[in-house]
Amino acid sequence: MAHSARRDSPELPDFSILKRLARDQLIYLLEQLPGKKDLFIEADLMSPLDRIANVSTLKQHEVDKLYKVEHKPVISTSDQLCFLIRPRIQTVKWICDVVNADKVPGKSRRYKIIFTPQKFYACEAVLEEQGIFGDVTIDEWPFYLLPLDDDIISLELPEFFQDNFLAGDQRWVRTAGSALHLLYSLYGPFSKVYGIGRCSKMAYESWREQVEEGEQKARQAEIGNVFLIDRDVDFVTPLCSQVVYEGLVDDIFRIKCGCVEFGPDVTSSDKSVKVMLNSQDKVFSEIRNEHFSNVFGFLSQKARNLQTAYDKRRGMDIKQMKAFVSEELKGLKQEHRLLSLHIGASESIMKKKTKQDFQELLKTEHLLLEGFEIRECISYIEEHINRQVSMVESLRLLCLLSITENGLLPKDYRSLKAQYLQSYGVDHLLTFSNLRQLGLLVEQQPGETLTVMESKVGKLVNDKTAGKLTDAFSSLAKKSNFRALSRKLNLVPKMDEEYDLRVPRDMAYIFSGAYIPLSCKLIEQVLERDGWMGLEEVTRLLNGHEFAVTGSSGVDSKGKNDTQRIILVMFLGGCTYSEISALRFLGREKGYKFIVVTTAITNSSRLLEALLGNHV
Amino acid sequence: MAFITASWNPLGDAFYRKTELYEMSWSLRDGLRDSLVAAAPYGGPIALLREPQRRSPSSRPQLEIYSASGGAFASFPWKSGPVVQLGWTVSDELLCIQEDGTVLIYDLFGSFKRHFSMGQEVVQSQVLEAKVFHSPYGTGIAIVTSSSRFTLATNIDDLKLRRLPEVPGLQGKPSCWVVLTQDRQTKVLLSNGPELFILDNTSCTVVCPSGLSPQDGSIVHMSVSFSYKYLALLTDTGHLWTGLSTLQEKLSEVDTKKTTVPKQMLWCRRPKSQQPSVVLMWDRLLLVVGVCNETIQYPIEDPCVLVGEMDGVRIISSSNQELLQEVPLVCQDIFKIASMAPGALLLEAHREYEKSSQKADEYLREIKEQSMLGEAVRQCVEAAGHEYDTNTQKSLMRAASFGKCFLTDFSPDQFVTTCRELRVLNAVRDSSVGLPLTHTQFKQLTLQVLIDRLVYRQFYPLAIEICRYLKIPDYQGVSRVLKHWASCKVQQKDLTDDAIARAVCVKVGDSPGVSYSDIAAKAYECGRAELAIKLLDFEARSGEQVPLLLKMKRSQLALSKAVESGDTDLVYTVVSYLKNEMNRGDFFMTLRNQPVALSLYRQFCKLQEQETLKDLYNQDDDHQELANYYVTASYREKRLEGRLSLLQSAVDEYNKAKNEFAVKATEDEMRLLRFQRKLDDEKGAGLLGLSLQVTMETLLSLGLHKQAEQLYKDFRVPDKRYWWLKLKSLAEKEEWDELEKFSKSKKSPIGYLAFVEVCIKCNNKYEAKKYVSKVTPEQKVKAHLAVGDLEGAADAAIERRNEAEMGAVLSRCSPSNSLVIERLNRARAAIAKNFDSIHTQAPHLDRRTSCCCPFTIKASVCSIAGVIL
């Protein structure tokens, strides 16, 4: 609110085309199966679908009943069934069961499977194995991108993270490439593409391939540069507690597809309310990027303004009153409603977070980021585990400890793990195995200091075969070099001055001034240097795979100047609202406009829940 | 002009002409005598098999293949069985139909391509006669066997043999027969003595051509027109009946007065023919019989072969080749003596113009007066297309161009197209190429097919020139030629793999539409696997390389190429292929070298084939993963015994993986499970499957302190954890006396602040206060604050001279606590004097407090909420 942009930020391209495109494609596919039909929708496609088409649109195209895919026998009586699903083997197997069940009494129906955003051969193989390949028709709905807001586009593929980084399954890479290609063909050509991370590189290559296969059209570019980044480049940021309003709301109430459900404790009634959180919400758009400590100040100011606006009607004559009612009142009422909701949400957040525990928690996090008083932190975590405060929170702290400290001492590693298992059950052995594989929670090799580690990683990168090995087993051999990175990039600001959260001076404000998110800092640095020049040490510590490619279109600086300042950042494996806030801040400071494309919005709980081993 | 009409012969109201196409460049020792000859239409190639019946192995018959101009393509001794009939397919392949029903297919250059059989029964009863015919379905073959049965195949590329029904009374072969294609059905028309039959799939019907009286005798020869529309029947009395091939309508009946059976009889007509005719050939005579009852006779010196074309008949002799055709109407108009057609006048005008004679103007005026100049130009252009002689073409085109100058809005399209096409036609008609196509044939054949035919004949440079000249899009033109060239190049046995690969790469480069994998597939077909692999390397899209590599059994390479392509679907395709092809061990070994494929397959197994997953880990000696697998499995197992045995397997594997920690954890779990089971049985506590912590919690809440204690000791639960547990549990059950006892049992490992807080949480301020005094000095302030004792807190803070703590107390004070506030402020002021000493350590904490400060605003907000709601 108080920030004045140094340069006017350029206008963002209009992403609503993406929605229209997806809707038209879906309608076309539905028309391919003429007549009345029942539609089965995969549970996690419900919300994205809601954003682009409503029930009446579906009904218009002869969808009779809507069902959620629940992996149970179907009760539909329609003779045409249409399945709208993600290309997942479990779902396909369920469809096979449905079809085969119909075969027993000799019921004949028409089946159509629409995979979105694409189909996989493995799914077709299952259909073939189960002998129903000939009974169903298969289509692809290329619904790659869902705009969640003016500047946020999501692929809504949370499994991308798990599949790609944990299981080493690269099936989604091409999807990411196709998504990028879609953006390119609508808003390109891009003048420069930067990236870091193995997956980013592959997605980039997949995209390039698609560009070469397709036809070239000369168009006015609407997006300047592109930055691709893998989630595993920076695990620290998503593991920190979020304290910016939007992030905090996500941590506590879980924003789903840009929409949050506020429970009775927020609405102070007995009903839950679903609220869309985006720039259309005037109240929210002003506080979403604010540190939580400023939110109340803003809200009270807003409340006072609102009161004044209401008060205006005193002393009005009839004519004025009429004008007031017809012009202003509706807006005021709307604002009133939103304001009370956000105040309710803030109060609810306070109730949950004001406790001493939260302060202690933040303090521990900050100590970890700075690398001070590690012993105390460990005992704090121990207590956290012992008291069973929260299964995921404890894990989060453990991971944060391991990453920032480059692994735990063997003694600590064992005892913390043992205690965790005692608290939450031995099945978490698998969780720990997953975390180790991702390099999130590892044991320090005895006798290894930081420098030894650094040189070793350096060797690994140089040595080709060893490089392959690291590639192969994903992050098995990967070590975090957080401390060194933090020094190189100044991620933890000097602490001898007071940090005024009301007037942030850098992106660290999103973590109360304690830490500048690594991912965003990298983006800032690369944009500033127009490449990776001078960041060699940093990329070495990050395990390489960085690239910077100038696009095919010659950049004529005139007229395109505005476009050049529109940067598309693509997070492969998810990004947090805090990161988005940080980028918005950076944009305001430097006159950029960032568009965030992510495989899904994530936060610490989603990240870690994906890695829990006990629900396989 | 007389010289052009010199070769014209009138037939009814039309003219027929013979044009010489070539002096044959072959030198045949014995001419065409005693040879089996097959010449394809559309100026196709000629195949010759000398003395086909000769069977002695010492002197095998020679099979020779020539272009239409007699240029040799191939010649080789015939080593297979006796040949009954030769024929050409639409794609210039030679069909050799043997007596035993085997059909061998050769390409233009005499290399064997494949063979098939016309049916099992033919093996016993020989093929007596065979015919090759063309229909919209492709090239077909019909045979008649010595058992008088007909068998048909309408398309040899999609072989479906149809045995036709028996013909009543037929012994041996019929006196004559033809294949008809009508209404999408292929039928055989045959004559046996006086009877005429139509044989189709299901029946054999006797037919009688309309208007042919039985006195005319039995039919000894028959011929169907190029379009299968007209039929000519010759009887033994020399009567020639012509009519529709449906036999419904008669065109004419002519008495040729020849009773010998001609060697060949063919229709000679062209589209929109004025005067169709039938050409009959005897040893010394060629007779053109018009439907109008008139005839033309040509003497023959050499034995000849007639080839039916869509617009005429080619006559091939050992020395030359001629085209016999009805003179096209437009040529007639222009060249007929004393013709006053506009085209003729224009040609004359131009001729006068070249002589610089004013007569040119007169002629032009004449045309113009009738406003026929446009028509005149059109006629000249069209006639030029029909002429074979280049000089005539030129003079006609020049006349057209001349006439065009006097027209203002005349579209030049026809003129330009004809010029271009003539240039192409003249090029391919050249004797060195030998494709004597007429313009009409060319239009029917289409340029695409012409290019294909040039390619079959390996005239690559010419084909490319034509493509470029006619500006055909690359992927239809040049690329296609290059593809053929490359496929042919890879078959050159005298060149090394490297040389060929290089040559191909240089020529083909990255022309659009040429797929290296196709070329490589060709190389592989020719048995050059190494070359194929080299060529595949040029393929830019690694996905394209995979199918061929699989076919070549280079599965490892295929897999790595698939991985390289980044297309996981492709990787998966290869994986599932390998899974079926290889034995398990090899399959796993292959996967092991390809981590990407391995993880993909693992993902699949996780969902589809759990058992395979186990084998996979086993093979890899990946004990860690194997153990994890067992642990996972144990959670799916409902029975305790099953679960324990799975866990035991996990323990074994963890042991092998040297993961002592996991061994111990798993063993603990087993111990816990047994313990839980025992208690469940004894007390019905419902513990099975709970974590240690929850187990203890449950035990405590059930009041089973002893058992909880036992777990605490057995599992070496840290003191802290146990104290927290017990503290919470006792407080929740409000057993305050027990709690106090417990607090005094030994020094609390979790301090006493915890006691205070837990009591407060359970809303027992009184009990909480009991423990405040025991809290360590550092936590005193917090403890006092927790129980709401501001004064105590203030005392403690002041005593510790800690500014931050004082601040914390102050923030909790309301105006009613003015006394406390005053005291604190005083104390702070006192400290401020000595501030320097503290400053060194304070700022550190300052930020922490500031970041937690949102929580101080709360009071003001509540009031706002009050205003609004």
Side-chain angles (χ1 to χ4, degrees), chain B residues 387-431:
Chain B
E387 286 304 317
Y388 212 86
D389 177 51
T390 48
N391 288 323
T392 319
Q393 289 169 4
K394 273 184 205 158
S395 60
L396 284 165
M397 288 313 267
R398 284 206 184 106
S401 156
F402 173 68
K404 224 154 54 75
C405 299
F406 300 94
L407 287 166
T408 44
D409 53 348
F410 186 80
S411 160
D413 285 354
Q414 191 205 9
F415 181 81
V416 173
T417 324
T418 310
C419 268
R420 287 209 175 120
E421 286 172 351
L422 275 178
R423 189 160 176 218
V424 170
L425 279 177
N426 288 335
V428 299
R429 282 171 188 168
D430 189 274
S431 168

Side-chain angles (χ1 to χ4, degrees), chain A residues 472, chain B residues 555-564 571 575 588-600:
Chain B
S555 37
Q556 309 266 0
L557 198 55
L559 191 57
S560 57
K561 290 283 183 192
V563 168
E564 212 175 274
V571 177
V575 168
F588 288 160
M589 278 308 279
T590 310
L591 282 187
R592 210 170 148 178
N593 296 326
Q594 288 293 350
V596 174
L598 181 63
S599 16
L600 205 65

Side-chain angles (χ1 to χ4, degrees), chain A residues 375-602:
Chain A
R375 270 295 123 203
E376 278 171 34
C377 291
I378 292 177
S379 50
Y380 176 80
I381 297 172
E382 229 168 18
E383 191 183 314
H384 207 267
I385 296 171
N386 284 339
R387 292 174 60 188
Q388 283 191 301
V389 179
S390 150
M391 182 167 85
V392 174
E393 289 271 275
S394 302
L395 219 47
R396 179 169 74 83
L397 289 171
L398 281 174
C399 293
L400 211 49
L401 172 68
S402 165
I403 299 178
T404 52
E405 286 301 298
N406 230 3
L408 304 180
L409 293 172
K411 186 173 68 76
D412 295 333
Y413 184 64
R414 266 156 224 221
S415 98
L416 286 170
K417 253 177 24 171
Q419 296 192 41
Y420 191 88
L421 293 182
Q422 287 185 353
S423 277
Y424 299 109
V426 80
D427 39 347
H428 284 287
L429 264 181
L430 305 178
T431 310
F432 286 120
S433 154
N434 286 346
L435 292 173
R436 196 173 63 116
Q437 196 171 331
L438 265 180
L440 276 174
L441 181 56
V442 292
E443 187 176 353
Q444 259 176 29
Q445 297 309 308
E448 257 182 12
T449 62
L450 202 62
T451 41
V452 175
M453 266 312 299
E454 278 179 35
S455 67
K456 211 172 184 185
V457 170
K459 253 188 233 149
L460 277 177
V461 172
N462 293 335
D463 190 2
K464 251 195 177 165
T465 47
K468 264 187 195 155
L469 195 111
T470 46
D471 280 359
F473 294 94
S474 150
S475 315
L476 244 180
K478 192 165 158 189
K479 290 272 156 59
S480 154
N481 296 298
F482 181 75
R483 203 67 69 213
L485 281 167
S486 164
R487 245 186 288 122
K488 287 256 147 46
L489 291 170
N490 257 331
L491 295 181
V492 177
K494 295 232 169 54
M495 48 185 120
D496 47 3
E497 39 200 305
E498 185 97 12
Y499 197 99
D500 186 355
L501 292 167
R502 256 168 274 260
V503 193
R505 41 163 209 268
D506 54 28
M507 292 186 281
Y509 92 93
I510 64 159
F511 292 122
S512 312
Y515 161 63
I516 300 175
L518 170 58
S519 50
C520 303
K521 185 77 181 181
L522 278 174
I523 294 166
E524 179 204 271
Q525 288 294 310
V526 169
L527 289 178
E528 209 164 81
R529 292 159 198 260
D530 191 23
W532 295 94
M533 277 285 282
L535 293 172
E536 291 82 4
E537 187 74 355
V538 172
T539 58
R540 196 176 60 78
L541 290 168
L542 286 173
N543 235 347
H545 291 302
E546 78 281 2
F547 59 92
V549 193
T550 309
S552 49
S553 68
V555 186
D556 51 14
S557 47
K558 264 187 201 163
K560 275 197 174 174
N561 226 347
D562 266 4
T563 320
Q564 284 311 304
R565 286 184 286 125
I566 296 190
I567 319 280
L568 187 138
V569 180
M570 188 168 189
F571 285 90
L572 296 163
C575 79
T576 63
Y577 279 116
S578 291
E579 285 171 305
I580 298 175
S581 292
L583 287 176
R584 284 183 185 135
F585 173 82
L586 184 64
R588 277 194 304 272
E589 288 288 298
K590 311 258 169 175
Y592 293 128
K593 203 78 173 181
F594 285 98
I595 301 156
V596 175
V597 179
T598 175
T599 52
I601 297 285
T602 192

Side-chain angles (χ1 to χ4, degrees), chain A residues 174-187:
Chain A
R174 203 175 158 76
T175 316
S178 304
L180 192 57
H181 185 61
L182 180 60
L183 288 168
Y184 167 82
S185 53
L186 290 174
Y187 307 104

Side-chain angles (χ1 to χ4, degrees), chain B residues 81-102:
Chain B
V83 176
V84 176
Q85 181 73 30
L86 295 175
W88 291 97
T89 70
V90 281
S91 46
D92 280 352
E93 291 160 322
L94 179 63
L95 301 173
C96 305
I97 305 159
Q98 294 192 142
E99 217 169 57
D100 59 359
T102 313

Side-chain angles (χ1 to χ4, degrees), chain B residues 175-176 190-196 209 212-222 233-241 258-259 261-262:
Chain B
S175 44
C176 60
L190 68 129
S191 83
N192 184 28
E195 284 172 309
L196 201 58
L212 186 68
S213 62
Q215 297 95 288
D216 292 335
S218 51
I219 293 160
V220 289
H221 213 310
M222 54 178 77
L233 303 170
L234 186 71
T235 65
D236 53 1
T237 56
H239 275 79
L240 181 72
W241 178 93
K258 304 262 179 206
T259 48
V261 179

